[in-house]
Amino acid sequence: MQLQKLFVIAASIAAIGSACAADYTVKPKVTSLQSAPQKVLLVGNSFMYYNCGVNGYLSGFTKAKGTKLSATMATIGGAGLDWHDVKSYLRPNALSSYSTLNDGSNKLIFHKYPDGKIFDAVIMQDNSQGPIHPELKKFFEKYAAIHAKDVRATGAEPLFMMTWAYAGRPEMTQQLADATTTVANANNAMVVPVGLAFAESLRLRPDIKMTVADNRHPTAAGTYLEAAVLYATLTKTSPEGADFLGGCEKPLPEKDAKFLQSVAWKTVKAFFGW
């Protein structure tokens, strides 16, 4: 009986690994960050800011797991990387130059960055189909290189987030995966394989909807999985065991949260070969 259980578990893990591998043909060149980041900037669009923002979900995981990691978000609806002036976000007197205490005092604190470095890592996400769109992919390729260079100039590490297929368009998973990884490899940058995790979750639990009625933007479960993959990629640790069930007054059932944590970790490990 015990051997039978072990066999079932091993078979399930193998199935996940093979299914993930079937979703991409380009392997990542960079499989880990040089150092564990403590301050992260998220640059993207509505795929990041839906459900009150993936940064809040990422914060939920970091608090639950006792990880020292904070995230700032700079997003524009419908934006591709060409809409963002990432270099301007990285000025010492720009994002995160001051904050207000959340203790009722409303006290303002100005932050100093004598070395000019504000963030340890910058995660960039293009238009939802930008990397594969016949007219937009050239902008993705061009500005990925420009932004990666500007990010490195501050001492931070650039990453590119792989987005997910639209509902009913499963072929987009491999297209987005390969296009994003190809550009990331060209810039010696890491990829955040969110799209692969979405595809795997839908294969194993199609009852958990990843997108809302427009077939592209994330449900609360989608944002939760997005954050779990971000957490796993950035920290190289599993989000499994976190008692965080979601943000924005949209908590998930515990069994669904545990499932998505598992999918995130197995997807990231398989993709990077950890």
Side-chain angles (χ1 to χ4, degrees):
M1 188 68 177
Q2 188 65 25
L3 284 175
Q4 186 178 19
K5 288 182 178 179
L6 289 173
F7 175 78
V8 171
I9 292 172
S12 298
I13 293 173
I16 289 176
S18 61
C20 289
D23 285 329
Y24 62 94
T25 63
V26 180
K27 295 183 178 181
K29 180 179 177 180
V30 181
T31 58
S32 63
L33 297 175
Q34 295 177 12
S35 59
Q38 293 189 8
K39 295 194 68 177
V40 176
L41 173 63
L42 303 171
V43 177
N45 51 47
S46 54
F47 273 30
M48 284 184 171
Y49 72 59
Y50 247 58
N51 301 304
C52 301
V54 73
N55 59 326
Y57 282 69
L58 182 57
S59 177
F61 277 111
T62 60
K63 290 177 181 177
K65 300 289 287 186
T67 308
K68 191 174 183 181
L69 178 68
S70 63
T72 300
M73 194 165 63
T75 56
I76 304 171
L81 291 185
D82 52 320
W83 287 21
H84 287 281
D85 184 358
V86 174
K87 186 175 183 178
S88 73
Y89 299 160
L90 305 175
R91 304 188 324 269
N93 61 341
L95 300 180
S96 292
S97 59
Y98 57 83
S99 60
T100 304
L101 285 180
N102 191 28
D103 62 357
S105 67
N106 210 32
K107 182 180 179 180
L108 196 64
I109 298 177
F110 289 91
H111 305 292
K112 304 296 182 183
Y113 303 100
D115 61 356
K117 181 181 178 182
I118 306 171
F119 303 103
D120 301 309
V122 179
I123 300 173
M124 294 171 280
Q125 175 244 322
D126 199 78
N127 179 285
S128 62
Q129 58 176 324
I132 59 175
H133 190 283
E135 295 176 274
L136 296 178
K137 61 183 181 181
K138 62 184 178 183
F139 298 123
F140 172 58
E141 294 167 359
K142 176 181 178 179
Y143 284 90
I146 291 172
H147 296 332
K149 182 179 179 180
D150 289 337
V151 167
R152 286 198 171 94
T154 69
E157 293 188 67
L159 300 91
F160 294 96
M161 192 180 97
M162 177 199 305
T163 55
W164 50 86
Y166 296 170
R169 295 276 305 279
E171 72 279 1
M172 286 180 67
T173 296
Q174 183 176 320
Q175 294 170 359
L176 287 165
D178 287 350
T180 304
T181 305
T182 296
V183 168
N185 286 350
N187 291 283
N188 295 308
M190 203 172 183
V191 177
V192 185
V194 178
L196 299 182
F198 268 52
E200 188 61 20
S201 176
L202 288 169
R203 262 191 292 268
L204 298 174
R205 288 281 307 275
D207 58 301
I208 300 180
K209 300 299 182 184
M210 290 287 102
T211 52
V212 296
D214 69 3
N215 294 327
R216 57 184 68 185
H217 286 95
T219 59
T223 297
Y224 187 93
L225 181 55
E226 180 184 0
V229 175
L230 283 165
Y231 177 84
T233 303
L234 289 168
T235 66
K236 207 172 182 178
T237 58
S238 175
E240 294 171 303
D243 58 6
F244 171 65
L245 300 180
C248 200
E249 299 182 350
K250 299 177 180 179
L252 302 178
E254 186 176 354
K255 66 174 184 177
D256 292 349
K258 288 183 177 180
F259 165 75
L260 294 174
Q261 291 171 11
S262 176
V263 168
W265 183 233
K266 289 173 181 175
T267 299
V268 169
K269 283 200 303 179
F271 184 65
F272 294 121
W274 291 346

